[in-house]
PDB file of all heavy atoms in Angstrom:
ATOM      1  N   LYS A   1     -18.319  -9.767  -4.323  1.00  0.00           N
ATOM      2  CA  LYS A   1     -18.306  -8.308  -4.499  1.00  0.00           C
ATOM      3  C   LYS A   1     -18.869  -7.920  -5.875  1.00  0.00           C
ATOM      4  O   LYS A   1     -18.630  -8.562  -6.881  1.00  0.00           O
ATOM      5  CB  LYS A   1     -16.884  -7.754  -4.344  1.00  0.00           C
ATOM      6  CG  LYS A   1     -16.440  -7.514  -2.930  1.00  0.00           C
ATOM      7  CD  LYS A   1     -16.485  -8.735  -2.046  1.00  0.00           C
ATOM      8  CE  LYS A   1     -16.052  -8.444  -0.628  1.00  0.00           C
ATOM      9  NZ  LYS A   1     -16.152  -9.624   0.236  1.00  0.00           N
ATOM     10  N   ASN A   2     -19.611  -6.808  -5.852  1.00  0.00           N
ATOM     11  CA  ASN A   2     -20.141  -6.269  -7.117  1.00  0.00           C
ATOM     12  C   ASN A   2     -19.058  -5.402  -7.779  1.00  0.00           C
ATOM     13  O   ASN A   2     -18.031  -5.091  -7.174  1.00  0.00           O
ATOM     14  CB  ASN A   2     -21.454  -5.528  -6.897  1.00  0.00           C
ATOM     15  CG  ASN A   2     -21.293  -4.349  -5.955  1.00  0.00           C
ATOM     16  OD1 ASN A   2     -20.406  -3.495  -6.122  1.00  0.00           O
ATOM     17  ND2 ASN A   2     -22.194  -4.205  -4.980  1.00  0.00           N
ATOM     18  N   PRO A   3     -19.240  -5.015  -9.023  1.00  0.00           N
ATOM     19  CA  PRO A   3     -18.200  -4.236  -9.737  1.00  0.00           C
ATOM     20  C   PRO A   3     -17.798  -2.951  -9.023  1.00  0.00           C
ATOM     21  O   PRO A   3     -16.637  -2.573  -9.059  1.00  0.00           O
ATOM     22  CB  PRO A   3     -18.876  -3.967 -11.091  1.00  0.00           C
ATOM     23  CG  PRO A   3     -19.816  -5.110 -11.296  1.00  0.00           C
ATOM     24  CD  PRO A   3     -20.359  -5.408  -9.952  1.00  0.00           C
ATOM     25  N   THR A   4     -18.770  -2.285  -8.392  1.00  0.00           N
ATOM     26  CA  THR A   4     -18.441  -1.049  -7.656  1.00  0.00           C
ATOM     27  C   THR A   4     -17.506  -1.353  -6.490  1.00  0.00           C
ATOM     28  O   THR A   4     -16.529  -0.627  -6.246  1.00  0.00           O
ATOM     29  CB  THR A   4     -19.715  -0.385  -7.157  1.00  0.00           C
ATOM     30  OG1 THR A   4     -20.564  -0.061  -8.240  1.00  0.00           O
ATOM     31  CG2 THR A   4     -19.401   0.878  -6.358  1.00  0.00           C
ATOM     32  N   GLU A   5     -17.811  -2.413  -5.743  1.00  0.00           N
ATOM     33  CA  GLU A   5     -16.971  -2.775  -4.597  1.00  0.00           C
ATOM     34  C   GLU A   5     -15.568  -3.189  -5.064  1.00  0.00           C
ATOM     35  O   GLU A   5     -14.562  -2.844  -4.441  1.00  0.00           O
ATOM     36  CB  GLU A   5     -17.612  -3.928  -3.818  1.00  0.00           C
ATOM     37  CG  GLU A   5     -18.894  -3.533  -3.075  1.00  0.00           C
ATOM     38  CD  GLU A   5     -19.590  -4.716  -2.465  1.00  0.00           C
ATOM     39  OE1 GLU A   5     -19.759  -5.727  -3.173  1.00  0.00           O
ATOM     40  OE2 GLU A   5     -19.967  -4.638  -1.294  1.00  0.00           O
ATOM     41  N   LEU A   6     -15.485  -3.911  -6.156  1.00  0.00           N
ATOM     42  CA  LEU A   6     -14.178  -4.335  -6.669  1.00  0.00           C
ATOM     43  C   LEU A   6     -13.352  -3.149  -7.163  1.00  0.00           C
ATOM     44  O   LEU A   6     -12.141  -3.075  -6.945  1.00  0.00           O
ATOM     45  CB  LEU A   6     -14.340  -5.362  -7.792  1.00  0.00           C
ATOM     46  CG  LEU A   6     -14.864  -6.735  -7.331  1.00  0.00           C
ATOM     47  CD1 LEU A   6     -15.102  -7.633  -8.532  1.00  0.00           C
ATOM     48  CD2 LEU A   6     -13.890  -7.418  -6.374  1.00  0.00           C
ATOM     49  N   SER A   7     -14.018  -2.224  -7.816  1.00  0.00           N
ATOM     50  CA  SER A   7     -13.312  -1.027  -8.278  1.00  0.00           C
ATOM     51  C   SER A   7     -12.759  -0.230  -7.105  1.00  0.00           C
ATOM     52  O   SER A   7     -11.627   0.218  -7.080  1.00  0.00           O
ATOM     53  CB  SER A   7     -14.256  -0.160  -9.098  1.00  0.00           C
ATOM     54  OG  SER A   7     -13.620   1.047  -9.487  1.00  0.00           O
ATOM     55  N   GLY A   8     -13.593  -0.112  -6.067  1.00  0.00           N
ATOM     56  CA  GLY A   8     -13.144   0.616  -4.872  1.00  0.00           C
ATOM     57  C   GLY A   8     -12.001  -0.046  -4.158  1.00  0.00           C
ATOM     58  O   GLY A   8     -11.033   0.606  -3.777  1.00  0.00           O
ATOM     59  N   THR A   9     -12.103  -1.359  -4.041  1.00  0.00           N
ATOM     60  CA  THR A   9     -11.021  -2.055  -3.248  1.00  0.00           C
ATOM     61  C   THR A   9      -9.732  -2.054  -4.037  1.00  0.00           C
ATOM     62  O   THR A   9      -8.632  -2.009  -3.448  1.00  0.00           O
ATOM     63  CB  THR A   9     -11.467  -3.472  -2.876  1.00  0.00           C
ATOM     64  OG1 THR A   9     -10.717  -3.926  -1.755  1.00  0.00           O
ATOM     65  CG2 THR A   9     -11.298  -4.475  -4.008  1.00  0.00           C
ATOM     66  N   ARG A  10      -9.788  -2.087  -5.379  1.00  0.00           N
ATOM     67  CA  ARG A  10      -8.557  -1.978  -6.155  1.00  0.00           C
ATOM     68  C   ARG A  10      -7.895  -0.633  -5.928  1.00  0.00           C
ATOM     69  O   ARG A  10      -6.661  -0.543  -5.742  1.00  0.00           O
ATOM     70  CB  ARG A  10      -8.851  -2.181  -7.636  1.00  0.00           C
ATOM     71  CG  ARG A  10      -9.227  -3.593  -8.025  1.00  0.00           C
ATOM     72  CD  ARG A  10      -9.340  -3.743  -9.538  1.00  0.00           C
ATOM     73  NE  ARG A  10      -9.780  -5.088  -9.932  1.00  0.00           N
ATOM     74  CZ  ARG A  10     -10.989  -5.432 -10.284  1.00  0.00           C
ATOM     75  NH1 ARG A  10     -11.972  -4.504 -10.340  1.00  0.00           N
ATOM     76  NH2 ARG A  10     -11.294  -6.674 -10.619  1.00  0.00           N
ATOM     77  N   ALA A  11      -8.685   0.439  -5.886  1.00  0.00           N
ATOM     78  CA  ALA A  11      -8.154   1.754  -5.612  1.00  0.00           C
ATOM     79  C   ALA A  11      -7.552   1.847  -4.224  1.00  0.00           C
ATOM     80  O   ALA A  11      -6.451   2.431  -4.001  1.00  0.00           O
ATOM     81  CB  ALA A  11      -9.213   2.815  -5.793  1.00  0.00           C
ATOM     82  N   ALA A  12      -8.210   1.243  -3.237  1.00  0.00           N
ATOM     83  CA  ALA A  12      -7.712   1.236  -1.865  1.00  0.00           C
ATOM     84  C   ALA A  12      -6.374   0.509  -1.774  1.00  0.00           C
ATOM     85  O   ALA A  12      -5.469   0.934  -1.037  1.00  0.00           O
ATOM     86  CB  ALA A  12      -8.743   0.610  -0.930  1.00  0.00           C
ATOM     87  N   HIS A  13      -6.244  -0.572  -2.535  1.00  0.00           N
ATOM     88  CA  HIS A  13      -4.993  -1.332  -2.459  1.00  0.00           C
ATOM     89  C   HIS A  13      -3.813  -0.599  -3.098  1.00  0.00           C
ATOM     90  O   HIS A  13      -2.681  -0.708  -2.639  1.00  0.00           O
ATOM     91  CB  HIS A  13      -5.194  -2.720  -3.101  1.00  0.00           C
ATOM     92  CG  HIS A  13      -5.817  -3.704  -2.168  1.00  0.00           C
ATOM     93  ND1 HIS A  13      -7.194  -3.749  -1.946  1.00  0.00           N
ATOM     94  CD2 HIS A  13      -5.277  -4.667  -1.398  1.00  0.00           C
ATOM     95  CE1 HIS A  13      -7.455  -4.721  -1.065  1.00  0.00           C
ATOM     96  NE2 HIS A  13      -6.320  -5.285  -0.720  1.00  0.00           N
ATOM     97  N   ILE A  14      -4.072   0.179  -4.121  1.00  0.00           N
ATOM     98  CA  ILE A  14      -2.990   0.960  -4.716  1.00  0.00           C
ATOM     99  C   ILE A  14      -2.554   2.075  -3.724  1.00  0.00           C
ATOM    100  O   ILE A  14      -1.380   2.282  -3.479  1.00  0.00           O
ATOM    101  CB  ILE A  14      -3.446   1.553  -6.061  1.00  0.00           C
ATOM    102  CG1 ILE A  14      -3.613   0.423  -7.091  1.00  0.00           C
ATOM    103  CG2 ILE A  14      -2.439   2.595  -6.546  1.00  0.00           C
ATOM    104  CD1 ILE A  14      -4.216   0.861  -8.379  1.00  0.00           C
ATOM    105  N   ARG A  15      -3.530   2.712  -3.121  1.00  0.00           N
ATOM    106  CA  ARG A  15      -3.252   3.741  -2.099  1.00  0.00           C
ATOM    107  C   ARG A  15      -2.479   3.150  -0.964  1.00  0.00           C
ATOM    108  O   ARG A  15      -1.478   3.734  -0.466  1.00  0.00           O
ATOM    109  CB  ARG A  15      -4.587   4.291  -1.629  1.00  0.00           C
ATOM    110  CG  ARG A  15      -4.525   5.499  -0.730  1.00  0.00           C
ATOM    111  CD  ARG A  15      -5.932   5.880  -0.256  1.00  0.00           C
ATOM    112  NE  ARG A  15      -6.878   5.948  -1.340  1.00  0.00           N
ATOM    113  CZ  ARG A  15      -8.010   5.230  -1.384  1.00  0.00           C
ATOM    114  NH1 ARG A  15      -8.301   4.386  -0.406  1.00  0.00           N
ATOM    115  NH2 ARG A  15      -8.837   5.353  -2.404  1.00  0.00           N
ATOM    116  N   ASP A  16      -2.888   1.960  -0.515  1.00  0.00           N
ATOM    117  CA  ASP A  16      -2.215   1.315   0.605  1.00  0.00           C
ATOM    118  C   ASP A  16      -0.835   0.843   0.194  1.00  0.00           C
ATOM    119  O   ASP A  16       0.111   0.894   0.970  1.00  0.00           O
ATOM    120  CB  ASP A  16      -3.061   0.108   1.043  1.00  0.00           C
ATOM    121  CG  ASP A  16      -2.693  -0.419   2.414  1.00  0.00           C
ATOM    122  OD1 ASP A  16      -2.952   0.288   3.405  1.00  0.00           O
ATOM    123  OD2 ASP A  16      -2.131  -1.527   2.487  1.00  0.00           O
ATOM    124  N   GLY A  17      -0.690   0.380  -1.036  1.00  0.00           N
ATOM    125  CA  GLY A  17       0.579  -0.118  -1.506  1.00  0.00           C
ATOM    126  C   GLY A  17       1.639   0.974  -1.522  1.00  0.00           C
ATOM    127  O   GLY A  17       2.833   0.710  -1.297  1.00  0.00           O
ATOM    128  N   VAL A  18       1.243   2.214  -1.847  1.00  0.00           N
ATOM    129  CA  VAL A  18       2.209   3.307  -1.803  1.00  0.00           C
ATOM    130  C   VAL A  18       2.760   3.470  -0.411  1.00  0.00           C
ATOM    131  O   VAL A  18       3.975   3.628  -0.200  1.00  0.00           O
ATOM    132  CB  VAL A  18       1.540   4.605  -2.283  1.00  0.00           C
ATOM    133  CG1 VAL A  18       2.427   5.807  -2.010  1.00  0.00           C
ATOM    134  CG2 VAL A  18       1.163   4.526  -3.747  1.00  0.00           C
ATOM    135  N   ALA A  19       1.878   3.402   0.592  1.00  0.00           N
ATOM    136  CA  ALA A  19       2.302   3.533   1.980  1.00  0.00           C
ATOM    137  C   ALA A  19       3.244   2.384   2.375  1.00  0.00           C
ATOM    138  O   ALA A  19       4.274   2.590   3.048  1.00  0.00           O
ATOM    139  CB  ALA A  19       1.116   3.575   2.910  1.00  0.00           C
ATOM    140  N   VAL A  20       2.880   1.154   1.996  1.00  0.00           N
ATOM    141  CA  VAL A  20       3.693   0.020   2.350  1.00  0.00           C
ATOM    142  C   VAL A  20       5.046   0.092   1.669  1.00  0.00           C
ATOM    143  O   VAL A  20       6.111  -0.183   2.287  1.00  0.00           O
ATOM    144  CB  VAL A  20       2.983  -1.293   2.006  1.00  0.00           C
ATOM    145  CG1 VAL A  20       3.903  -2.509   2.188  1.00  0.00           C
ATOM    146  CG2 VAL A  20       1.716  -1.449   2.861  1.00  0.00           C
ATOM    147  N   ALA A  21       5.072   0.477   0.400  1.00  0.00           N
ATOM    148  CA  ALA A  21       6.379   0.601  -0.314  1.00  0.00           C
ATOM    149  C   ALA A  21       7.280   1.656   0.333  1.00  0.00           C
ATOM    150  O   ALA A  21       8.476   1.449   0.494  1.00  0.00           O
ATOM    151  CB  ALA A  21       6.121   0.944  -1.771  1.00  0.00           C
ATOM    152  N   ARG A  22       6.677   2.774   0.752  1.00  0.00           N
ATOM    153  CA  ARG A  22       7.487   3.785   1.392  1.00  0.00           C
ATOM    154  C   ARG A  22       8.046   3.283   2.725  1.00  0.00           C
ATOM    155  O   ARG A  22       9.171   3.578   3.124  1.00  0.00           O
ATOM    156  CB  ARG A  22       6.658   5.043   1.617  1.00  0.00           C
ATOM    157  CG  ARG A  22       6.255   5.763   0.324  1.00  0.00           C
ATOM    158  CD  ARG A  22       5.427   7.016   0.636  1.00  0.00           C
ATOM    159  NE  ARG A  22       6.242   7.981   1.374  1.00  0.00           N
ATOM    160  CZ  ARG A  22       5.741   8.907   2.173  1.00  0.00           C
ATOM    161  NH1 ARG A  22       4.410   8.990   2.355  1.00  0.00           N
ATOM    162  NH2 ARG A  22       6.492   9.761   2.799  1.00  0.00           N
ATOM    163  N   PHE A  23       7.239   2.490   3.398  1.00  0.00           N
ATOM    164  CA  PHE A  23       7.700   1.872   4.675  1.00  0.00           C
ATOM    165  C   PHE A  23       8.833   0.894   4.410  1.00  0.00           C
ATOM    166  O   PHE A  23       9.813   0.857   5.177  1.00  0.00           O
ATOM    167  CB  PHE A  23       6.536   1.164   5.350  1.00  0.00           C
ATOM    168  CG  PHE A  23       6.945   0.366   6.552  1.00  0.00           C
ATOM    169  CD1 PHE A  23       7.280   0.955   7.740  1.00  0.00           C
ATOM    170  CD2 PHE A  23       6.988  -1.056   6.476  1.00  0.00           C
ATOM    171  CE1 PHE A  23       7.657   0.216   8.840  1.00  0.00           C
ATOM    172  CE2 PHE A  23       7.356  -1.805   7.567  1.00  0.00           C
ATOM    173  CZ  PHE A  23       7.688  -1.169   8.763  1.00  0.00           C
ATOM    174  N   LEU A  24       8.749   0.078   3.367  1.00  0.00           N
ATOM    175  CA  LEU A  24       9.815  -0.893   3.061  1.00  0.00           C
ATOM    176  C   LEU A  24      11.124  -0.150   2.784  1.00  0.00           C
ATOM    177  O   LEU A  24      12.186  -0.596   3.224  1.00  0.00           O
ATOM    178  CB  LEU A  24       9.395  -1.751   1.896  1.00  0.00           C
ATOM    179  CG  LEU A  24       8.197  -2.699   2.104  1.00  0.00           C
ATOM    180  CD1 LEU A  24       7.842  -3.429   0.831  1.00  0.00           C
ATOM    181  CD2 LEU A  24       8.475  -3.695   3.227  1.00  0.00           C
ATOM    182  N   LYS A  25      11.051   0.971   2.073  1.00  0.00           N
ATOM    183  CA  LYS A  25      12.251   1.784   1.816  1.00  0.00           C
ATOM    184  C   LYS A  25      12.791   2.299   3.140  1.00  0.00           C
ATOM    185  O   LYS A  25      14.001   2.244   3.406  1.00  0.00           O
ATOM    186  CB  LYS A  25      11.893   2.910   0.908  1.00  0.00           C
ATOM    187  CG  LYS A  25      13.010   3.946   0.696  1.00  0.00           C
ATOM    188  CD  LYS A  25      12.583   5.038  -0.264  1.00  0.00           C
ATOM    189  CE  LYS A  25      13.647   6.113  -0.452  1.00  0.00           C
ATOM    190  NZ  LYS A  25      13.843   6.929   0.741  1.00  0.00           N
ATOM    191  N   TRP A  26      11.907   2.797   3.978  1.00  0.00           N
ATOM    192  CA  TRP A  26      12.325   3.364   5.274  1.00  0.00           C
ATOM    193  C   TRP A  26      12.995   2.280   6.116  1.00  0.00           C
ATOM    194  O   TRP A  26      14.006   2.542   6.772  1.00  0.00           O
ATOM    195  CB  TRP A  26      11.082   3.928   5.980  1.00  0.00           C
ATOM    196  CG  TRP A  26      11.341   4.613   7.293  1.00  0.00           C
ATOM    197  CD1 TRP A  26      11.690   5.918   7.493  1.00  0.00           C
ATOM    198  CD2 TRP A  26      11.267   3.976   8.573  1.00  0.00           C
ATOM    199  NE1 TRP A  26      11.838   6.161   8.844  1.00  0.00           N
ATOM    200  CE2 TRP A  26      11.586   4.993   9.515  1.00  0.00           C
ATOM    201  CE3 TRP A  26      10.959   2.709   9.038  1.00  0.00           C
ATOM    202  CZ2 TRP A  26      11.602   4.751  10.887  1.00  0.00           C
ATOM    203  CZ3 TRP A  26      10.983   2.478  10.387  1.00  0.00           C
ATOM    204  CH2 TRP A  26      11.313   3.471  11.304  1.00  0.00           C
ATOM    205  N   MET A  27      12.409   1.098   6.138  1.00  0.00           N
ATOM    206  CA  MET A  27      13.009  -0.019   6.920  1.00  0.00           C
ATOM    207  C   MET A  27      14.389  -0.376   6.366  1.00  0.00           C
ATOM    208  O   MET A  27      15.305  -0.636   7.148  1.00  0.00           O
ATOM    209  CB  MET A  27      12.110  -1.227   6.832  1.00  0.00           C
ATOM    210  CG  MET A  27      10.892  -1.162   7.766  1.00  0.00           C
ATOM    211  SD  MET A  27      11.309  -1.213   9.546  1.00  0.00           S
ATOM    212  CE  MET A  27      12.032  -2.848   9.667  1.00  0.00           C
ATOM    213  N   GLU A  28      14.533  -0.412   5.051  1.00  0.00           N
ATOM    214  CA  GLU A  28      15.816  -0.750   4.474  1.00  0.00           C
ATOM    215  C   GLU A  28      16.871   0.253   4.879  1.00  0.00           C
ATOM    216  O   GLU A  28      18.070  -0.079   5.101  1.00  0.00           O
ATOM    217  CB  GLU A  28      15.682  -0.773   2.941  1.00  0.00           C
ATOM    218  CG  GLU A  28      16.929  -1.223   2.207  1.00  0.00           C
ATOM    219  CD  GLU A  28      16.702  -1.297   0.698  1.00  0.00           C
ATOM    220  OE1 GLU A  28      15.897  -2.139   0.269  1.00  0.00           O
ATOM    221  OE2 GLU A  28      17.317  -0.457  -0.006  1.00  0.00           O
ATOM    222  N   GLU A  29      16.505   1.527   5.043  1.00  0.00           N
ATOM    223  CA  GLU A  29      17.457   2.572   5.415  1.00  0.00           C
ATOM    224  C   GLU A  29      17.723   2.601   6.917  1.00  0.00           C
ATOM    225  O   GLU A  29      18.853   2.917   7.345  1.00  0.00           O
ATOM    226  CB  GLU A  29      16.868   3.925   4.941  1.00  0.00           C
ATOM    227  CG  GLU A  29      16.816   4.057   3.435  1.00  0.00           C
ATOM    228  CD  GLU A  29      16.007   5.276   2.988  1.00  0.00           C
ATOM    229  OE1 GLU A  29      15.311   5.887   3.852  1.00  0.00           O
ATOM    230  OE2 GLU A  29      16.058   5.618   1.799  1.00  0.00           O
ATOM    231  N   HIS A  30      16.713   2.336   7.738  1.00  0.00           N
ATOM    232  CA  HIS A  30      16.854   2.592   9.159  1.00  0.00           C
ATOM    233  C   HIS A  30      17.106   1.329  10.006  1.00  0.00           C
ATOM    234  O   HIS A  30      17.811   1.380  11.004  1.00  0.00           O
ATOM    235  CB  HIS A  30      15.588   3.277   9.710  1.00  0.00           C
ATOM    236  CG  HIS A  30      15.445   4.695   9.253  1.00  0.00           C
ATOM    237  ND1 HIS A  30      14.945   5.028   8.035  1.00  0.00           N
ATOM    238  CD2 HIS A  30      15.774   5.866   9.854  1.00  0.00           C
ATOM    239  CE1 HIS A  30      14.912   6.329   7.882  1.00  0.00           C
ATOM    240  NE2 HIS A  30      15.443   6.867   8.985  1.00  0.00           N
ATOM    241  N   ALA A  31      16.538   0.193   9.620  1.00  0.00           N
ATOM    242  CA  ALA A  31      16.663  -0.991  10.461  1.00  0.00           C
ATOM    243  C   ALA A  31      18.096  -1.433  10.697  1.00  0.00           C
ATOM    244  O   ALA A  31      18.466  -1.777  11.814  1.00  0.00           O
ATOM    245  CB  ALA A  31      15.809  -2.139   9.895  1.00  0.00           C
ATOM    246  N   PRO A  32      18.951  -1.466   9.642  1.00  0.00           N
ATOM    247  CA  PRO A  32      20.309  -1.932   9.869  1.00  0.00           C
ATOM    248  C   PRO A  32      21.148  -1.042  10.833  1.00  0.00           C
ATOM    249  O   PRO A  32      22.152  -1.501  11.340  1.00  0.00           O
ATOM    250  CB  PRO A  32      20.921  -1.937   8.473  1.00  0.00           C
ATOM    251  CG  PRO A  32      19.753  -2.042   7.558  1.00  0.00           C
ATOM    252  CD  PRO A  32      18.680  -1.230   8.209  1.00  0.00           C
TER     253      PRO A  32
END
């Protein structure tokens, strides 16, 4: 990957991480 692609994918992973973290919280509250 070139620097532009790496910069973009890092941003995508932070955006995605927020969604996954919110899901993990939701699972902790609802699954049990």
Side-chain angles (χ1 to χ4, degrees):
K1 276 58 180 177
N2 61 49
T4 300
E5 291 173 312
L6 289 175
S7 177
T9 203
R10 290 187 182 102
H13 278 80
I14 292 172
R15 188 184 311 123
D16 196 69
V18 171
V20 172
R22 293 181 64 204
F23 172 74
L24 294 176
K25 173 179 179 290
W26 183 88
M27 282 292 296
E28 185 178 294
E29 295 169 347
H30 290 82

